[in-house]
Amino acid sequence: QVLRQFVRHDSDSVSSLVLERSMNRVQLLGRVGQDPIMRQVDGKNPVTIFSLATNEMWRTGDSEASQTAWFLCDLGDISQKTTWHRISVFRPGLRDVTYQYVKKGSRIYVEGKIDYGEYTDKNNVRRQATTIIADNVIFLSDGGLKDKV
């Protein structure tokens, strides 16, 4: 039954099983939105959780070619979109270091996989949750923006 999860059937014949590869990888570079928290359910599976903001910028009304070099031109009409990501760190060493050293405003790089889940909130309403399960975190700054000012 476990093998069935990793195998695609080309026909009903067992001899025609084909192993397939797939990939679920995410790379994010951004700033931490709040100090990480550590959660634990029933004394098992501790996890460090924090939010990460990534920004996308573009010049409005310009052709695609000039949008790639927006930083070289007069700023004009620059638009920005911020996307917030929920990051969960389960790996024991990485989980503890992330909890201890990542702070609000820190610039970090996260690699991991995307996970879609569901939970029931305190009002008994079923909610969807999208989480990045981090397996690598690279610290690019030692603290928040306040430390730099």
Side-chain angles (χ1 to χ4, degrees):
Q1 190 173 21
V2 172
L3 181 60
R4 193 170 298 211
Q5 294 174 356
F6 300 107
V7 173
R8 176 176 52 95
H9 296 274
D10 281 346
S11 70
D12 293 336
S13 153
V14 175
S15 64
S16 65
L17 295 178
V18 177
L19 291 177
E20 280 189 337
R21 291 203 174 258
S22 60
M23 183 183 302
N24 178 354
R25 295 298 301 161
V26 175
Q27 297 176 316
L28 299 171
L29 174 64
R31 291 209 180 261
V32 176
Q34 90 273 346
D35 289 345
I37 59 171
M38 190 172 293
R39 289 197 180 148
Q40 201 165 353
V41 178
D42 300 328
K44 298 178 182 176
N45 298 328
V47 59
T48 294
I49 300 169
F50 60 94
S51 62
L52 185 72
T54 57
N55 295 309
E56 182 179 350
M57 291 195 240
W58 66 93
R59 289 188 63 156
T60 55
D62 284 349
S63 68
E64 186 175 321
S66 65
Q67 285 184 21
T68 58
W70 64 268
F71 53 88
L72 298 175
C73 307
D74 178 21
L75 292 181
D77 295 327
I78 299 293
S79 294
Q80 177 176 311
K81 176 184 176 190
T82 300
T83 303
W84 289 95
H85 311 273
R86 176 185 170 98
I87 312 295
S88 296
V89 186
F90 289 95
R91 274 187 37 202
L94 185 60
R95 172 191 64 223
D96 300 333
V97 167
T98 300
Y99 178 71
Q100 185 173 1
Y101 293 107
V102 169
K103 300 294 178 219
K104 178 179 179 177
S106 296
R107 186 164 162 80
I108 63 171
Y109 171 80
V110 174
E111 288 180 328
K113 66 180 181 176
I114 194 165
D115 182 64
Y116 300 100
E118 196 173 86
Y119 67 96
T120 304
D121 70 12
K122 61 184 175 186
N123 297 323
N124 211 23
V125 176
R126 289 174 66 175
R127 304 259 184 208
Q128 302 275 327
T130 302
T131 304
I132 305 302
I133 309 297
D135 54 34
N136 191 16
V137 176
I138 298 175
F139 303 85
L140 301 174
S141 68
D142 57 357
L145 292 172
K146 292 179 182 175
D147 295 342
K148 307 266 184 232
V149 177

